[in-house]
Amino acid sequence: MDEVEVVVAHSERATLRVGDVFLKVDADQARIDVEVEAMSLAPVATPRVLWRKPPVLAISALPGTTLGRLGGPSTGSSAAWAAAGAAIRKLHDAPLPSWPGRAGRSIAALVAELDDECERLVTNGLLPADLVTRNRRVAEAALRPWTPAFTHGDLQIAHVFVDGDEVTGVVDWSEAGQGDALYDLATFTLGHEERLDDVLSGYGTDVDLDVIHAWWSLRSLLAVRWLTEHGFDPFAPGCEVDVLRSRM
């Protein structure tokens, strides 16, 4: 009998693996709706939906391995990272979905969320004020008009699978929708700055590096408290707090 592996679990949702099947349990059916619809529209390989019985979605496993994880060593060849960049570009060039995604929050909403989060980080003593202030300043470059693209919205390297130098698929589409393409690129290279050139060589167009750096700071500032409160460790080597320190 296959063992049950807990891939990720917190108070909002959980993902389990049983053999070649992933079971996603989410009380928010809107997220599952987005995931299923986004996978049907995305021009890149995605898991196959096996069945759905709320609050559970069953999907097939993808072949290959991920390129690593935040806080761990980056794996894969330069060609594999470039192939991931090309796949991301293919997604961004696809026809837009009809809904906004995580990467599509308005500037006003981001400013309000960022200011509130920065205040809490300092008031609660989670991070020193100078670290928060510096990264809040860096984050300003992301707060600008952008052309909507089909974005994944949570494009961590753990969500992209490769076999050799080929991308075999992308998982976890619940945050997908219209958004800022550079948010995806920044999320994918968060904590792995040394791989950015490889990704951009595959992506195939010039991007504003200041905006990429800004999204690294912005995403990390917004994540630290949530991660801490949900049993994760943003202070681990190579994770969000180290990303913030790298901007100093």
Side-chain angles (χ1 to χ4, degrees):
M1 180 176 180
D2 291 314
E3 293 184 354
V4 176
E5 175 192 355
V6 179
V7 179
V8 63
H10 49 76
S11 60
E12 294 180 4
R13 51 189 138 169
T15 301
L16 311 175
R17 180 170 186 167
V18 185
D20 290 332
V21 176
F22 284 92
L23 302 175
K24 305 193 72 171
V25 184
D26 196 329
D28 184 349
Q29 288 305 292
R31 278 196 293 253
I32 297 296
D33 290 341
V34 166
E35 179 148 15
V36 172
E37 181 69 10
M39 288 193 295
S40 73
L41 297 174
V44 297
T46 64
R48 183 165 54 93
V49 175
L50 302 175
W51 51 265
R52 180 181 181 186
K53 185 176 181 180
V56 182
L57 172 69
I59 58 176
S60 62
L62 290 172
T65 59
T66 68
L67 287 168
R69 60 179 178 81
L70 183 62
S74 60
T75 59
S77 64
S78 293
W81 284 83
I88 296 169
R89 178 61 184 274
K90 187 175 182 180
L91 174 66
H92 291 167
D93 285 345
L96 294 175
S98 60
W99 65 91
R102 180 71 174 169
R105 289 165 289 172
S106 70
I107 294 174
L110 278 171
V111 168
E113 184 179 0
L114 185 59
D115 287 345
D116 179 64
E117 201 60 41
C118 287
E119 181 179 355
R120 291 187 182 200
L121 288 170
V122 175
T123 301
N124 295 344
L126 276 174
L127 294 176
D130 61 338
L131 184 64
V132 173
T133 299
R134 168 59 181 160
N135 278 276
R136 175 66 179 83
R137 190 176 304 123
V138 172
E140 283 290 329
L143 305 173
R144 86 286 177 224
W146 39 267
T147 301
F150 189 158
T151 54
H152 180 279
D154 191 22
L155 199 62
Q156 304 172 47
I157 57 172
H159 293 163
V160 177
F161 284 72
V162 298
D163 185 2
D165 296 337
E166 302 293 327
V167 174
T168 58
V170 182
V171 301
D172 285 350
W173 292 82
S174 62
E175 307 286 355
Q178 294 186 28
D180 179 1
L182 298 194
Y183 179 93
D184 271 355
L185 289 170
T187 301
F188 188 65
T189 54
L190 184 75
H192 293 286
E193 186 170 355
E194 76 282 0
R195 294 295 192 169
L196 181 58
D197 286 345
D198 291 334
V199 173
L200 294 182
S201 71
Y203 194 72
T205 187
D206 291 335
V207 303
D208 189 331
L209 294 181
D210 286 341
V211 176
I212 297 287
H213 298 161
W215 275 122
W216 287 341
S217 290
L218 201 159
R219 181 181 169 93
S220 297
L221 286 169
L222 294 183
V224 167
R225 187 173 60 87
W226 186 94
L227 291 168
T228 302
E229 293 175 353
H230 287 78
F232 301 99
D233 186 8
F235 292 86
C239 292
E240 285 81 2
V241 175
D242 273 356
V243 171
L244 294 172
R245 288 172 179 153
S246 72
R247 298 300 107 196
M248 297 296 285

